[in-house]
């Protein structure tokens, strides 16, 4: 594989994800890791604002699993990104064709939080992917438009058998920062959700630790 030149920049949709990623990254502490906020518009703007001369952009964060074959707390390097249309499928050029040393999955993007088991099964079947998020399709399109090499690493926060707790979408603002007051109010209104929220927190930390390790492995390829 040809060596990549230029700076590597890493983006997480959520500020919470960025902090966990930095905590888990040990060999690449000097890499620029930013947060951009959730959704396709935010990630597109971030990629457009990447400085000229950047060699690779990395999207890192959490995603929903569409199948229990990709369980909570695991993390994966994304090989292919699937759009809404069947012919919209993009392959990561940084991965080797015979990649066997990394956990690999494919991802699609949706407009909001993925629902229950039936919705996940439908996406899994129709788009031939294992994971879903809100940013990957827009990220890839924006990176390809600028001819930037891209990598996506996603950790699993929820799955068909472990869905997200109700109200989790309100736990962060549009910039991806934790909305502490709203989270506390939600727990007061629904005290039964506290256990589920604590479990989600632990699952997310574990998954992002693995995301950090995989991101470092992919970043290290820049020099080879």
């Amino acid at each position: 594989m040809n060596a990549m030149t230029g700076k590597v920049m890493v983006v997480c949709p959520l500020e919470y994800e960025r902090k966990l990623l930095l905590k888990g990254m040990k060999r690449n502490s000097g890499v620029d890791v930013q947060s951009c906020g959730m959704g396709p518009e935010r990630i597109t703007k971030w990629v457009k604002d990447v400085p000229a001369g950047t060699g690779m952009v990395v999207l890192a964060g959490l995603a929903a699993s569409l199948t229990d074959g990709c369980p909570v707390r695991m993390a994966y390097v994304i090989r292919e990104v699937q759009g809404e249309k069947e012919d919209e499928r993009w392959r990561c050029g940084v991965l080797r064709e015979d990649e066997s040393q990394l956990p690999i999955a494919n991802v699609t993007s949706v407009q909001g939080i993925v629902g229950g088991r039936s919705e996940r099964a439908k996406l899994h079947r129709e788009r031939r992917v294992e994971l879903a998020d809100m940013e990957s399709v827009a990220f890839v399109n924006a990176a390809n438009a600028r001819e930037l090499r891209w990598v996506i690493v996603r950790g699993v926060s929820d799955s068909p058998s472990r869905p997200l707790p109700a109200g989790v979408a309100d736990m962060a603002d549009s910039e991806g920062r934790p909305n502490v007051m709203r989270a506390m109010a939600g727990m007061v209104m629904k005290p039964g959700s506290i256990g589920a929220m604590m479990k989600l927190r632990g699952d997310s930390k574990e998954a992002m630790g693995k995301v950090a390790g995989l991101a470092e492995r992919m970043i290290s390829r820049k020099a080879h």
Side-chain angles (χ1 to χ4, degrees):
M1 180 177 294
N2 295 330
M4 290 174 274
T5 59
K7 182 179 180 180
V8 176
M9 295 190 67
V10 182
V11 63
C12 300
L14 297 173
E15 177 64 15
Y16 173 70
E17 294 168 330
R18 187 189 75 86
K19 289 180 178 179
L20 289 176
L21 190 73
L22 285 172
K23 186 175 181 179
M25 293 177 73
K26 297 177 173 59
R27 291 176 294 169
N28 292 284
S29 57
V31 172
D32 191 355
V33 181
Q34 302 177 358
S35 61
C36 66
M38 296 179 290
E41 293 82 11
R42 300 278 181 175
I43 196 71
T44 297
K45 182 181 185 304
W46 183 87
V47 175
K48 287 181 177 179
D49 291 342
V50 165
T54 299
M56 185 168 74
V57 287
V58 180
L59 171 59
L62 299 167
S65 174
L66 306 178
T67 166
D68 285 321
C70 290
V72 168
R73 294 192 170 213
M74 286 296 293
Y76 300 89
V77 179
I78 300 303
R79 183 185 295 281
E80 293 182 342
V81 178
Q82 177 67 49
E84 288 188 30
K85 299 179 181 178
E86 187 174 353
D87 62 349
E88 294 177 336
R89 200 169 181 99
W90 304 274
R91 180 180 286 262
C92 176
V94 181
L95 284 171
R96 291 183 281 267
E97 288 294 328
D98 61 345
E99 202 73 64
S100 61
Q101 302 301 312
L102 295 170
I104 300 292
N106 302 316
V107 71
T108 191
S109 292
V110 294
Q111 293 184 353
I113 290 177
V114 182
R117 187 177 290 273
S118 60
E119 180 182 346
R120 292 171 194 254
K122 186 173 185 288
L123 279 170
H124 177 51
R125 181 179 65 255
E126 293 181 351
R127 301 197 188 182
R128 297 171 289 121
V129 298
E130 297 78 36
L131 305 179
D133 62 21
M134 290 191 285
E135 295 86 18
S136 286
V137 170
F139 173 76
V140 167
N141 280 320
N144 287 343
R146 292 198 56 186
E147 299 183 345
L148 291 167
R149 303 196 80 176
W150 55 267
V151 167
I152 301 172
V153 185
R154 286 294 198 180
V156 178
S157 59
D158 57 287
S159 68
S161 60
R162 295 272 293 276
L164 288 174
V168 72
D170 297 327
M171 299 301 177
D173 63 20
S174 60
E175 299 291 338
R177 297 184 296 260
N179 193 324
V180 178
M181 294 303 295
R182 187 173 292 179
M184 291 178 64
M187 290 182 184
V188 169
M189 294 295 292
K190 296 181 180 179
S193 68
I194 295 176
M197 290 295 183
M198 294 302 293
K199 183 176 289 186
L200 174 63
R201 177 184 171 127
D203 292 342
S204 298
K205 284 185 175 181
E206 179 77 16
M208 284 305 299
K210 293 175 180 175
V211 168
L214 290 174
E216 285 194 309
R217 290 176 67 177
M218 298 308 296
I219 291 168
S220 69
R221 295 189 176 189
K222 178 178 179 292
H224 296 88

